[in-house]
Amino acid sequence: MSYILTKFFAQKEYQQAFVRGDFYLSSLSAFTKVYSERALIAAAMQGDNYAKMLLEKQRNRSQRDILEGTIASIPPDQIPEFPDKMRKMIDTDVMIRALGYDYCNVMCFCKMEYRFQMLEKIIRIDWDEPNMKDFGEYAIIVKNPKELIRRIDIAVKQQNYQYVCGDVNYHPRTLNNKAITRNKPSVSLQLEEPIEMNTILKQSKRVDYDAFDKCDIYKNQREWRLAINNGAADEQPLQISVGDLSDIVEMVDRSSLADKMHELFMISAIFPMEEGYYGNTSRAEMREAFYHLGEDKGYYIITLG
């Protein structure tokens, strides 16, 4: 199915900054870690924009995902260091997060799918609009995605960074390597002690996940993302400038998104996104680079229910 790229913003100033080409990419750690809310509030009141961003994400459950950066799963009974009582409480396969993905910076977009129909010589466009109300009331529509990627490519190469952009894939949780449906309360925890991934991955059936793979409970987001490796073991957000984008993006309120899309299509002012991954490196090469950046260490994530 064809789709158009959109992006949502919690504040008008964020939307305007994007159109100016000022990109702000959070690290994946911003989606996974829990910080002291009191400390974040104090820092935000002192003008710390990063603390303000973390506070917004922490309070918005739709923007939190403890499984970001997980790369593999292992049945609980294949991890000998787990005591029997602990294994009995674990209700999914144990996930492995690569430490290096804490240093991966991402910018998230949303795919808006559509279908063309011809009814009695009248063109009808049916939109499949995702529910993105938790991500803000302001949006942009990317009218020319190829040109957006070209400008990203220029800006990133000038900094000598690696980048890949493309669709996010969604996967079900598993137990004993078989997909399961979970509908009961549970809690996911990251264990503190780091592990050597090279040894652990030999026990795993799945070793090819990366920054473009997420749990299917988030599939309603229909995400397309830009991932950047700046070569630094740093969890801070990354800022890059791609230049003014007002000629290839359209600003719109979320409530008017579908109407604006229809208007742009009727005057042939918008182009669909083509499937695939784009960048100056491959997903596999970027994955290995993040493993190395994290010194090939990772963490167990267990889900108790």
Side-chain angles (χ1 to χ4, degrees):
M1 183 178 291
S2 301
Y3 61 83
I4 301 298
L5 284 185
T6 61
K7 183 169 176 57
F8 297 84
F9 305 88
Q11 297 185 33
K12 186 76 172 178
E13 62 187 272
Y14 299 163
Q15 179 196 45
Q16 294 170 338
F18 181 93
V19 176
R20 291 195 304 269
D22 297 330
F23 282 13
Y24 186 96
L25 293 85
S26 299
S27 68
L28 285 184
S29 65
F31 300 94
T32 62
K33 294 186 176 180
V34 177
Y35 301 86
S36 165
E37 185 155 315
R38 181 178 296 179
L40 289 178
I41 292 172
M45 291 179 66
Q46 294 296 319
D48 188 329
N49 289 329
Y50 183 51
K52 183 179 179 182
M53 180 273 295
L54 288 175
L55 187 61
E56 291 174 353
K57 280 186 167 56
Q58 191 156 296
R59 288 177 169 177
N60 188 341
R61 295 187 64 183
S62 298
Q63 296 190 45
R64 292 198 51 73
D65 181 5
I66 192 173
L67 299 180
E68 282 276 19
T70 52
I71 58 169
S73 63
I74 303 174
D77 60 7
Q78 294 184 18
I79 305 179
E81 58 264 45
F82 286 4
D84 289 339
K85 288 184 178 181
M86 182 177 179
R87 289 198 193 100
K88 291 178 181 178
M89 297 176 63
I90 298 175
D91 68 353
T92 70
D93 288 337
V94 177
M95 304 297 291
I96 310 299
R97 171 186 286 125
L99 170 61
Y101 274 118
D102 282 350
Y103 316 130
C104 176
N105 294 96
V106 298
M107 173 173 277
C108 306
F109 296 75
C110 178
K111 301 184 299 185
M112 193 165 175
E113 298 176 341
Y114 66 92
R115 307 168 201 80
F116 276 113
Q117 287 184 305
M118 181 69 77
L119 300 173
E120 298 180 355
K121 298 183 179 181
I122 298 176
I123 294 177
R124 175 179 171 180
I125 307 173
D126 292 327
W127 303 101
D128 196 357
E129 185 174 356
N131 182 4
M132 299 297 288
K133 62 181 179 62
D134 292 336
F135 290 81
E137 294 300 318
Y138 308 98
I140 58 93
I141 301 168
V142 179
K143 296 186 291 187
N144 190 334
K146 285 186 177 181
E147 178 60 18
L148 174 66
I149 293 172
R150 188 188 73 84
R151 296 183 193 183
I152 290 172
D153 184 83
I154 292 172
V156 173
K157 283 182 177 177
Q158 287 177 344
Q159 301 297 325
N160 200 29
Y161 298 158
Q162 287 183 325
Y163 86 97
V164 176
C165 53
D167 294 346
V168 168
N169 309 291
Y170 298 95
H171 310 276
R173 298 295 299 271
T174 60
L175 181 61
N176 297 320
N177 293 323
K178 296 180 181 179
I180 58 173
T181 300
R182 302 172 62 254
N183 54 13
K184 62 179 182 178
S186 62
V187 59
S188 294
L189 305 171
Q190 176 175 299
L191 305 190
E192 288 186 343
E193 190 68 25
I195 57 175
E196 296 291 337
M197 289 198 308
N198 290 335
T199 301
I200 298 299
L201 291 180
K202 293 177 182 178
Q203 305 173 43
S204 171
K205 182 179 179 181
R206 196 176 76 210
V207 295
D208 58 348
Y209 280 16
D210 63 1
F212 294 89
D213 293 282
K214 296 180 65 172
C215 180
D216 64 358
I217 63 173
Y218 298 99
K219 63 184 179 182
N220 68 297
Q221 296 175 1
R222 298 174 192 163
E223 188 178 336
W224 187 97
R225 66 172 35 170
L226 164 66
I228 292 181
N229 172 21
N230 67 0
D234 187 348
E235 298 179 16
Q236 293 298 306
L238 181 68
Q239 299 184 58
I240 61 172
S241 176
V242 301
D244 181 70
L245 299 176
S246 58
D247 59 327
I248 61 169
V249 303
E250 189 84 14
M251 296 173 62
V252 63
D253 291 343
R254 183 177 62 84
S255 59
S256 304
L257 183 63
D259 290 341
K260 177 58 70 172
M261 296 268 263
H262 189 278
E263 175 188 324
L264 292 171
F265 259 102
M266 290 298 98
I267 61 173
S268 300
I270 192 169
F271 300 93
M273 185 66 205
E274 297 179 3
E275 292 187 1
Y277 294 90
Y278 307 84
N280 60 3
T281 188
S282 69
R283 287 174 63 188
E285 290 170 337
M286 179 176 275
R287 182 171 62 241
E288 292 301 318
F290 279 122
Y291 288 178
H292 181 72
L293 201 57
E295 299 179 340
D296 291 313
K297 295 187 183 301
Y299 296 92
Y300 287 130
I301 297 179
I302 62 173
T303 299
L304 306 177

